[in-house]
Amino acid sequence: MRGSGPRGAGHRRTQGRGGGDDTPRVPASLAGCYSAPLKGPLWTCLLLCAALRTLLASPSNEVNLLDSRTVMGDLGWIAFPKNGWEEIGEVDENYAPIHTYQVCKVMEQNQNNWLLTSWISNEGASRIFIELKFTLRDCNSLPGGLGTCKETFNMYYFESDDENGRSIKENQYIKIDTIAADESFTELDLGDRVMKLNTEVRDVGPLSKKGFYLAFQDVGACIALVSVRVYYKKCPSVVRHLAIFPDTITGADSSQLLEVSGSCVNHSVTDDPPKMHCSAEGEWLVPIGKCMCKAGYEEKNGTCQAPSPVTNVKKGKIAKNSISLSWQEPDRPNGIILEYEIKYFEKDQETSYTIIKSKETSITAEGLKPASVYVFQIRARTAAGYGVFSRRFEFETTPVFAASNDQSQIPIIAVSVTVGVILLAVMIGFLLSGRRCGYSKAKQDPEEEKMHFHNGHIKLPGVRTYIDPHTYEDPNQAVHEFAKEIEASCITIERVIGAGEFGEVCSGRLKLPGKRELPVAIKTLKVGYTEKQRRDFLGEASIMGQFDHPNIIHLEGVVTKSKPVMIVTEYMENGSLDTFLKKNDGQFTVIQLVGMLRGIAAGMKYLSDMGYVHRDLAARNILINSNLVCKVSDFGLSRVLEDDPEAAYTTRGGKIPIRWTAPEAIAFRKFTSSSDVWSYGIVMWEVVSYGERPYWEMTNQDVIKAVEEGYRLPSPMDCPAALYQLMLDCWQKDRNSRPKFDEIVNMLDKLIRNPSSLKTLVNASSRVSTLLAEHGSLGSGAYRSVGEWLEAIKMGRYTEIFMENGYSSMDAVAQVTLE
Ligand code: ACK
C-alpha cells in the first residue's frame, strides 16, 4: 500500500481548538525509522505522532475522562468485522504503548468497519468533548483507488448506565458527526518527512446517563486514529474579590451560563454572597459583589491576614540577669494594637520558654542567666487576633563578674534590697486588703503578664489561684469581676440543644462589635427563678471566668442586665463526651482516645494548679469539639451537685455522684485534687469503654460496698495495659499514693510519643478472672443465670468459657475469690 491514497478534502466542524494545524517536521531522532523497510504508509506517521504525545497537555479547565495516549494497558476497545480496524502494537521511545487504530480498505467495495470504545463515565458532566487526532490518506494519491476510496469517517455515541452494556447494534448508536481531514497526506509528504496530523473536536450533550460508549465507523478510507481524548469542561476553582468559587462543571448547553455563589475567604465577610457565572467554555464571567476583610485584616494576594510582623527590635540595657528591648509598631498594624506578646528562651532550649504580654513597645526580661544568649520573638495582637511572630532576635546577658567585682555597687545593692523589701511589704499589704474587700481582676493583672512554659505546659510560679465566689459578700460583684457583660442584642439563639438544671441550653452565635462572629453555647436561667437560683446559676460563670486554658471550657460572658439571664460559652460541636463516645462506639484509634484523655488531664492539672477542686469530674461533664479536643466543663458554685442527675444523697446528707467519687469524699466529704484524680480514673475507664456506665447496673450501695472491700472496675475490652495500670493507680485507697495530674499528663505524653507502648493490651483471661472474682462476689443475686449476668456486664461472649469451666450457676460464680 506504500504510495497509495486519495486527496483529502471535506467537511469539518471544529469546536475550540482543532484543525490540521499540527504539521511537525520529522524529528531527527526518528529519522532512522524511515530508512528501515516500512510495513505500510501509516506506520511512519504513527511513530511521529507518538513522539508528539509529550507536547500535548490538557488545559486546566478540561478534565479528561479518557485519554488513549495515557492508558498503559489494554484499551478494551473492540472492532468488527475483525479484519477492519486493527490496533497497532507499537511502543514509543519510553516503551509506553501507543494505542493507535488503523484501517485502509481503500481498494475494497462496501466497507462498514466499526471500532467501539469501552464504557466512559461522564463523572456527572452533561456535556462532553471528544478530541480526535488522526491522519488520513489523500485518495488522489492512490493509484486506481479513486473509485472506492473515502476521505471521511463517522463518529457515534451510545449512552448507558451500565459499564458492561456495550451494544454492537449499529442502530443503537447516535451519530455525532462525519469527520473529514483538513490535511491529508501523500507519498510526497512521507518523502519530505512532513506529517499532517489532524485534530478535530466535537461535543455531545445533554447527557442523561452515567456514561457512554463511542464508536468510529469507517466506510472505506485510509485512516490512522492516533489518539482519542474525551473530556468535560469546568470552571476551575478561583478566588475573586476575596470569595472562593468552587470547581464547577459547565452546563449542558453550549450557551448556558451557570450562576455560582462564592464563599468569603477566612477573615472576610459580606452581606450578600458574591456571584460569578461559569460559561460553557469553562471561563468565569461577570463577577457580582465582593467580600471585605474584617476590621483589623488587610487584603493581600486574595487573602486577609492580621498585623504584619514586628521588624525593628532594638536592645536596650543589658545586665547579667536582664535584657531590655524596644521595638516599633508593625508597618501595617491593620487595626489598633491591643498588646504585644514577647516569647523568649535560652538559645537551644526552645521547649522551655517564657511569654510576656505588654501593652508597651518595650520590656525588660528578667531572671535570666548571666553570659547566656536569649532568643526573642515578638508579635502584635489586634481585635482580629495575633499576627505572625517576628524573626528571631538574639541578645546575650553580661557575665557575672561584671557586677560582683565592682565594690562601688555595694551601696546601690544595699539600697535596692531595702527598697525591694519595702515594696514587697507594700504589695503584700495591698493584696491582702484587696482580698478582704473583694478580688479585683484588673488590679491583679499587671500591664505586663508573665507566664512560663515548659514543653508547652504553663509553669505557674504561684501566679493565679482560684477565688471562691462565696468569699464575696455580694455574688454579683464576683460575676462582674470575672465575666464580661454581653449585650443581649449581640446574641442570636439558634436552637435548643439540651436542658440544664436552671433552664434550657441553646446553641447560637455571638457577634461582638469589632470581633468576628462566633458559634456559642448559651445557658439560660428559666423565668420565675429565686434569688438563690440566680446566684447559683451565675456562680458557674464567676468560676469559669477565672480560667484560661485550652482544655477548660471558655466563658465568653454573661447577660445579667436583661432577661433571660444567660451564660455564654464557646461552642463544642460534639457535645458531651459520654454521649459522643456512645454514638461512635469503636470508631477511634487508641492514640485518639489517649489524646482525649491527655486533654482532660491537662485541664485538670490547670484546675488543680489553680487550687480548684472540681468534685464532679465525669465524661458527661466533659465537652468535645469538632477537632476532638476535650474540655472540662460544669463548674457549679454550690458543688453540692444539685444539677447532676448522677448525684445521690449520702448518709451524711450531701449529694454525690457515687460511681465517680473517691471513697474518702463519699465517707467524710474529703474533696481534694486527689479525689478528682480518682474521678479522672473513672473518666479514663468511660473513655476506653466508649461511654459504658461505670459498675454497669450495680446499685450505688453495692458500688460503695464493693469499693470499700477493695473491688475495682475491670479493664475495659481491648484496653492497653499501661492505661489500665494508670486507672488502678488513680483508684488507690490512700489518696496520697494516687498520681498527681501533672504526672498523669507526663505519663500520657510518654505513651503518645511512644505508641508501641500502647500495643500491649490487658489480656482477656486476666479480664475474665478479675471479673470472676470481683463481680462474682457482688450483685450476683440480681441475675438468674451466669449468661444473663455476663450479658449485663457486656461480657456475654465469655459465657461458654464459664460453662466449660464449671461456672454454670450464679452460686458457683459467687464462690470464686480473687486468688
Ligand atoms: O451532649 P450534649 O449535646 O452536650 O447535651 C448537653 C446539653 O447541652 C445540656 O448540657 C450541651 N452543651 C452544654 N454546653 C455546651 C457547649 N459549650 N457546646 C455545645 N454543647 C453544649 C451538652
mmCIF file of all heavy atoms in Angstrom, residues 84 88 223 243 254 262 274 325 429 449 522 562 626 675 777-778:
data_model
loop_
_atom_site.group_PDB
_atom_site.id
_atom_site.type_symbol
_atom_site.label_atom_id
_atom_site.label_comp_id
_atom_site.label_asym_id
_atom_site.label_seq_id
_atom_site.Cartn_x
_atom_site.Cartn_y
_atom_site.Cartn_z
ATOM 1 N N GLY A 84 -11.367 -5.351 9.982
ATOM 2 C CA GLY A 84 -11.486 -3.915 9.708
ATOM 3 C C GLY A 84 -10.404 -3.131 10.442
ATOM 4 O O GLY A 84 -9.218 -3.233 10.129
ATOM 5 N N ILE A 88 -2.449 -1.098 16.379
ATOM 6 C CA ILE A 88 -1.045 -1.262 16.028
ATOM 7 C C ILE A 88 -0.261 -1.404 17.317
ATOM 8 O O ILE A 88 -0.256 -0.507 18.171
ATOM 9 C CB ILE A 88 -0.541 -0.048 15.223
ATOM 10 C CG1 ILE A 88 -1.353 0.016 13.934
ATOM 11 C CG2 ILE A 88 0.932 -0.166 14.950
ATOM 12 C CD1 ILE A 88 -1.173 1.277 13.183
ATOM 13 N N ILE A 223 -7.168 5.518 7.181
ATOM 14 C CA ILE A 223 -7.082 6.398 8.379
ATOM 15 C C ILE A 223 -6.226 5.735 9.440
ATOM 16 O O ILE A 223 -6.256 4.509 9.599
ATOM 17 C CB ILE A 223 -8.459 6.557 9.092
ATOM 18 C CG1 ILE A 223 -9.613 6.598 8.101
ATOM 19 C CG2 ILE A 223 -8.484 7.733 10.040
ATOM 20 C CD1 ILE A 223 -10.922 6.176 8.748
ATOM 21 N N ALA A 243 -13.573 36.043 47.456
ATOM 22 C CA ALA A 243 -14.530 34.940 47.611
ATOM 23 C C ALA A 243 -13.990 33.721 46.866
ATOM 24 O O ALA A 243 -13.356 33.855 45.816
ATOM 25 C CB ALA A 243 -15.888 35.327 47.044
ATOM 26 N N SER A 254 -24.470 24.612 25.143
ATOM 27 C CA SER A 254 -23.244 25.311 24.758
ATOM 28 C C SER A 254 -23.308 26.812 25.018
ATOM 29 O O SER A 254 -22.293 27.492 25.001
ATOM 30 C CB SER A 254 -22.930 25.053 23.290
ATOM 31 O OG SER A 254 -24.012 25.498 22.515
ATOM 32 N N GLY A 262 -20.088 32.417 45.668
ATOM 33 C CA GLY A 262 -18.764 32.235 46.289
ATOM 34 C C GLY A 262 -18.877 32.321 47.795
ATOM 35 O O GLY A 262 -19.866 32.837 48.317
ATOM 36 N N PRO A 274 -21.040 36.934 47.064
ATOM 37 C CA PRO A 274 -20.656 37.281 45.686
ATOM 38 C C PRO A 274 -21.013 36.149 44.724
ATOM 39 O O PRO A 274 -21.086 34.996 45.135
ATOM 40 C CB PRO A 274 -19.138 37.434 45.773
ATOM 41 C CG PRO A 274 -18.804 37.434 47.206
ATOM 42 C CD PRO A 274 -19.900 36.767 47.944
ATOM 43 N N LEU A 325 14.413 45.462 75.862
ATOM 44 C CA LEU A 325 14.213 45.540 74.412
ATOM 45 C C LEU A 325 13.209 46.627 74.102
ATOM 46 O O LEU A 325 12.330 46.913 74.915
ATOM 47 C CB LEU A 325 13.558 44.261 73.880
ATOM 48 C CG LEU A 325 14.225 42.927 74.046
ATOM 49 C CD1 LEU A 325 13.283 41.869 73.484
ATOM 50 C CD2 LEU A 325 15.512 42.931 73.244
ATOM 51 N N GLY A 429 0.612 43.818 101.587
ATOM 52 C CA GLY A 429 -0.486 44.508 102.272
ATOM 53 C C GLY A 429 -1.608 44.836 101.302
ATOM 54 O O GLY A 429 -2.787 44.613 101.567
ATOM 55 N N GLU A 449 2.009 40.775 81.733
ATOM 56 C CA GLU A 449 1.651 39.493 82.321
ATOM 57 C C GLU A 449 2.721 38.497 81.911
ATOM 58 O O GLU A 449 3.131 38.463 80.754
ATOM 59 C CB GLU A 449 0.329 39.061 81.702
ATOM 60 C CG GLU A 449 -0.657 38.546 82.678
ATOM 61 C CD GLU A 449 -1.861 38.029 81.919
ATOM 62 O OE1 GLU A 449 -2.451 38.801 81.150
ATOM 63 O OE2 GLU A 449 -2.165 36.851 82.104
ATOM 64 N N ILE A 522 -25.338 28.703 74.859
ATOM 65 C CA ILE A 522 -25.964 29.695 75.738
ATOM 66 C C ILE A 522 -26.787 28.954 76.783
ATOM 67 O O ILE A 522 -27.720 28.227 76.431
ATOM 68 C CB ILE A 522 -26.879 30.640 74.917
ATOM 69 C CG1 ILE A 522 -26.076 31.283 73.783
ATOM 70 C CG2 ILE A 522 -27.512 31.705 75.811
ATOM 71 C CD1 ILE A 522 -26.840 31.421 72.510
ATOM 72 N N SER A 562 -30.394 42.108 81.258
ATOM 73 C CA SER A 562 -31.709 41.918 80.649
ATOM 74 C C SER A 562 -32.105 40.463 80.861
ATOM 75 O O SER A 562 -31.294 39.655 81.327
ATOM 76 C CB SER A 562 -31.639 42.261 79.161
ATOM 77 O OG SER A 562 -30.734 41.392 78.523
ATOM 78 N N SER A 626 -15.153 19.730 67.424
ATOM 79 C CA SER A 626 -15.050 19.011 66.156
ATOM 80 C C SER A 626 -13.632 18.500 65.902
ATOM 81 O O SER A 626 -13.428 17.625 65.068
ATOM 82 C CB SER A 626 -15.494 19.915 65.009
ATOM 83 O OG SER A 626 -14.760 21.105 65.074
ATOM 84 N N SER A 675 -8.997 13.479 95.134
ATOM 85 C CA SER A 675 -10.280 12.808 94.857
ATOM 86 C C SER A 675 -10.683 13.070 93.409
ATOM 87 O O SER A 675 -11.310 12.226 92.764
ATOM 88 C CB SER A 675 -11.369 13.227 95.854
ATOM 89 O OG SER A 675 -11.626 14.599 95.776
ATOM 90 N N SER A 777 -18.609 -11.946 93.599
ATOM 91 C CA SER A 777 -18.992 -11.814 94.992
ATOM 92 C C SER A 777 -20.013 -10.706 95.183
ATOM 93 O O SER A 777 -20.414 -10.418 96.284
ATOM 94 C CB SER A 777 -17.745 -11.515 95.817
ATOM 95 O OG SER A 777 -17.171 -10.327 95.330
ATOM 96 N N LEU A 778 -20.343 -10.045 94.125
ATOM 97 C CA LEU A 778 -21.221 -8.881 94.233
ATOM 98 C C LEU A 778 -22.500 -9.062 93.465
ATOM 99 O O LEU A 778 -22.530 -9.800 92.512
ATOM 100 C CB LEU A 778 -20.524 -7.667 93.590
ATOM 101 C CG LEU A 778 -19.276 -7.234 94.295
ATOM 102 C CD1 LEU A 778 -18.493 -6.371 93.368
ATOM 103 C CD2 LEU A 778 -19.680 -6.483 95.530
#
